[in-house]
Amino acid sequence: MELFSSDLQRTRQTAETVGALFDVKPTLDRRLREKSYGEAGGRPQEWLDRRFVPPPAVGERMDHDEGVAGAETKAQWAQRVYAAMDEILQRPCEHQIIVTHGGSLTFVLASWIRMPIESAGYASFRGASGSITTLREDDFFHNRQVVSLGDTRHLDAEQR
């Protein structure tokens, strides 16, 4: 079993907890981070909200920077997560766990199903914080399946 995680604090902490359960040390990878909002980093959400320019409903969405200086475009963000996934999926390990952020989950899944990056401009796969998404590749046809998306049943069990 292998465990990969964004290197940011909240995912790193989750990965360390999961790693302890499975007796595996997380491999930290900054490419699994959430989208970078450039100069908005470390500022209150209100600051970003006042400057945020949503992507157009139609047309070029992958090169849109949302109006914030230094922010990654969706294309840059996708390329970074796809690159991490390419390396992870080339490894011969049968079971892999990836701990990432809600927005980056879209590109983890898009990469998994081999969606061309240029087609990901309208894609959005969301999971709640702490949720588990299960992916499986069958041994015969090598089809890739999204078994569950954003499952939170384990969180309910913790509250009992």
Side-chain angles (χ1 to χ4, degrees):
M1 177 171 293
E2 295 177 322
L3 173 58
F4 301 90
S5 174
S6 159
D7 62 340
L8 295 179
Q9 183 177 0
R10 65 181 182 211
T11 50
R12 192 176 65 240
Q13 289 171 337
T14 300
E16 288 168 357
T17 300
V18 170
L21 291 171
F22 292 101
D23 195 29
V24 62
K25 185 177 182 203
T27 299
L28 303 180
D29 190 331
R30 65 179 294 120
R31 296 172 301 176
L32 294 171
R33 287 181 175 187
E34 188 61 278
K35 175 183 168 74
S36 170
Y37 279 96
E39 70 177 23
R43 296 182 189 254
Q45 183 66 42
E46 173 192 346
W47 186 93
L48 176 60
D49 292 346
R50 285 194 315 262
R51 290 158 178 81
F52 190 84
V53 177
V58 295
E60 179 50 55
R61 297 168 53 93
M62 293 299 281
D63 290 327
H64 181 69
D65 69 4
E66 294 157 343
V68 180
E72 281 184 301
T73 63
K74 196 169 187 179
Q76 291 167 325
W77 180 20
Q79 289 164 354
R80 141 171 91 72
V81 175
Y82 269 59
M85 288 298 294
D86 285 348
E87 286 183 26
I88 291 168
L89 295 174
Q90 286 177 14
R91 299 175 63 88
C93 188
E94 184 177 357
H95 299 289
Q96 296 170 316
I97 298 170
I98 300 169
V99 181
T100 192
H101 306 269
S104 293
L105 175 60
T106 290
F107 301 121
V108 166
L109 288 176
S111 172
W112 168 255
I113 63 173
R114 297 190 179 188
M115 176 186 288
I117 234 171
E118 58 275 5
S119 298
Y122 291 92
S124 178
F125 301 102
R126 291 289 180 192
S129 293
S131 67
I132 297 173
T133 294
T134 304
L135 308 174
R136 182 174 298 130
E137 180 175 333
D138 76 70
D139 292 334
F140 188 76
F141 291 106
H142 298 282
N143 291 327
R144 293 182 172 184
Q145 177 184 14
V146 178
V147 177
S148 68
L149 174 64
D151 187 352
T152 59
R153 288 178 291 176
H154 63 288
L155 298 176
D156 295 336
E158 289 176 7
Q159 295 173 1
R160 286 185 223 151

